[in-house]
Amino acid sequence: MSYEVHRQQLPLFEEDGRAAATDDEHGRDLHYLPTLPDEDPYAAGHRTCAGCGPAIQYRWVLKAAGNDTVVAGPTGCMYVANSTYLCTPYTVPWAHTPIASGGSFTSGMAAGYEAMIRKGRYPGPYPNILVMAGDGSASDIGLGGMSGALYRNHDALFVCYDNECYANTGIQVSPTTPYAGMTTFTPFGKAIPEGKKLPPKNLAKMMAEGHPHCYVATTTVGYPVDLMNKTRKGLNHQGAAFLHCYTPCQKGWVYQTSMTVELGRRVVESGLWPMWEYRPEDREYHYFHPPVQRPVTDYLAMQGRFGHMLPEHVATMQAGANRNWEAIGMDVPKSLRELEDPARHKRLHDEEYSMPLNRGVGA
Ligand SMILES: Cc1ncc(C[n+]2csc(CCOP(=O)(O)OP(=O)(O)O)c2C)c(N)n1
Ligand code: SF4
Ligand SMILES: [Mg+2]
């Protein structure tokens, strides 16, 4: 005898109910106040750094997913810092996987629940199944397993929390480390003054283009309602979904701890992190157009990892951001076009609000 598999549909959060929305000087709504669930499957009491972006992402994603959830976490900061001495902050079932196996382990969980429900050995409904893997895991060491899981279309949400480095082992370069991002493996010096020479791997576009039957989206911890809604859309989608979330790493990037969420906004407003959703139903990309367009220096100068950048490096970064604006269908204002000229820039550590040079981990 075969039993039917009942899947849950989670309602989306309203962005309209902003009881206390306030605007900043650019007209951005700073405080969304939708009615949020009381459930908090990522409870307080973990050991991540103050201001840790991945921890903020974990909390919002699990709040959106709710209590009927099982979650996996490959090796990385969010495994190590969250599970010391056999304690974890999870109030839902959680499993650690090897760094390469986030995709394959989660495929197995999804297939296992499906089979158990069909055979009548699990009463159901089908739980929310998700994995949250770092960029080193999702875009590099575990990329094959992630891609395989998406390709086979297992009914689960595959999340990459992207802190743009291998953080847990001491801030080494990863494929998603941005151009000029200083890490312990990409120090700046006379031979390579920009630090990292290569542009970052475009993981989310790879996932969308390579697995067109999947729901794929990008987001940041600067847009919590967007992050929670994309989590729910990914879970509601029947089949595999991939979410790529920008999550600042205070220790590796060297910035003021209170600025994590602000960075999550500025990276979008400076054109360096296009926020979009790929919907398999119409096979289209739906791009978010931020109300503010900033020069990249507004973002870069807040972080020590970029403090070594010379005028030509900043100009290269601005040219990349301008290409991104065009790619998402936005005009590039003349003021930003002019900033492609190195003569318009100073050394980054001479910029206003600049942070000290990052001379190494935790410097
Ligand atoms: C196969 C393998 N190679 C290397 C490691 C060592 N290692 C443990 S955590 C980690 C960093 C993972 O980086 P990421 O996935 O980006 O997560 P983050 O630490 O940044 O949260 C590495 C390299 C490992 N555990 N397994
Ligand atoms: S090193 Fe970075 S990612 Fe790791 S716990 Fe600290 S802030 Fe979070
Ligand atoms: Mg990482």
Side-chain angles (χ1 to χ4, degrees):
M1 180 162 174
S2 178
Y3 295 83
E4 210 181 320
V5 180
H6 292 290
R7 291 184 157 81
Q8 314 176 54
Q9 284 292 310
L10 298 163
L12 298 187
F13 297 101
E14 297 281 339
E15 292 208 19
D16 313 332
R18 299 170 188 170
T22 48
D23 293 351
D24 72 357
E25 72 271 25
H26 299 289
R28 305 179 306 177
D29 282 332
L30 286 184
H31 305 294
Y32 300 121
L33 287 179
T35 311
L36 294 178
D38 293 334
E39 296 156 277
D40 230 342
Y42 182 68
H46 48 81
R47 291 157 58 106
T48 64
C49 307
C52 173
I56 296 173
Q57 185 223 269
Y58 260 55
R59 184 165 183 217
W60 289 126
V61 165
L62 286 175
K63 202 173 214 352
N67 283 341
D68 192 5
T69 298
V70 290
V71 58
T75 317
C77 269
M78 296 307 286
Y79 156 56
V80 177
N82 282 323
S83 59
T84 318
Y85 301 124
L86 296 179
C87 297
T88 80
Y90 304 105
T91 62
V92 292
W94 167 86
H96 164 240
T97 85
I99 194 169
S101 316
S104 47
F105 183 93
T106 309
S107 303
M109 283 204 294
Y113 271 100
E114 186 123 18
M116 285 194 300
I117 293 170
R118 284 198 194 290
K119 290 180 179 173
R121 293 191 192 156
Y122 181 78
Y126 189 81
N128 298 313
I129 297 177
L130 62 93
V131 58
M132 290 192 270
D135 47 296
S137 171
S139 76
D140 205 8
I141 302 178
L143 176 62
M146 283 281 174
S147 171
L150 296 186
Y151 173 68
R152 293 187 303 272
N153 209 19
H154 292 285
D155 194 1
L157 174 62
F158 300 82
V159 184
C160 172
Y161 70 86
D162 192 354
N163 56 11
E164 301 183 340
C165 61
Y166 281 94
N168 184 59
T169 34
I171 322 296
Q172 289 86 25
V173 70
S174 92
T176 62
T177 304
Y179 164 77
M182 150 96 184
T183 67
T184 48
F185 281 6
T186 51
F188 66 95
K190 281 198 183 124
I192 309 179
E194 65 269 62
K196 189 186 180 194
K197 287 170 90 75
L198 295 172
K201 184 184 279 190
N202 195 337
L203 177 65
K205 276 274 162 93
M206 269 176 74
M207 293 312 208
E209 294 289 322
H211 314 86
H213 53 282
C214 298
Y215 172 86
V216 181
T218 65
T219 188
T220 88
V221 290
Y223 296 81
V225 181
D226 184 78
L227 168 57
M228 287 193 292
N229 276 339
K230 284 174 175 165
T231 299
R232 288 195 162 182
K233 286 182 189 181
L235 291 168
N236 289 345
H237 172 72
Q238 193 175 334
F242 183 78
L243 187 57
H244 191 187
C245 184
Y246 165 96
T247 54
C249 166
Q250 195 281 327
K251 177 179 162 191
W253 301 9
V254 188
Y255 61 87
Q256 291 170 17
T257 46
S258 58
M259 288 293 138
T260 304
V261 169
E262 180 64 19
L263 282 172
R265 292 214 151 199
R266 288 197 186 197
V267 74
V268 174
E269 295 170 349
S270 58
L272 294 170
W273 185 273
M275 220 160 64
W276 49 263
E277 190 172 57
Y278 168 85
R279 298 184 196 142
E281 311 85 76
D282 58 11
R283 300 210 164 187
E284 295 273 356
Y285 290 90
H286 300 263
Y287 294 106
F288 171 69
H289 289 174
V292 178
Q293 286 176 285
R294 299 170 174 273
V296 293
T297 41
D298 277 7
Y299 169 74
L300 301 174
M302 291 171 71
Q303 303 164 64
R305 66 176 171 156
F306 295 120
H308 58 282
M309 288 173 78
L310 300 175
E312 58 270 32
H313 308 142
V314 182
T316 301
M317 202 79 147
Q318 186 66 58
N322 289 350
R323 277 196 297 277
N324 286 343
W325 289 126
E326 288 167 347
I328 68 171
M330 286 184 76
D331 292 334
V332 181
K334 186 161 168 278
S335 58
L336 295 186
R337 189 64 77 195
E338 286 169 356
L339 291 175
E340 293 183 20
D341 177 2
R344 302 292 301 265
H345 295 287
K346 306 183 222 175
R347 289 179 308 171
L348 202 69
H349 69 258
D350 292 335
E351 287 283 345
E352 208 183 342
Y353 305 124
S354 67
M355 296 290 291
L357 290 184
N358 182 2
R359 298 196 181 279
V361 178

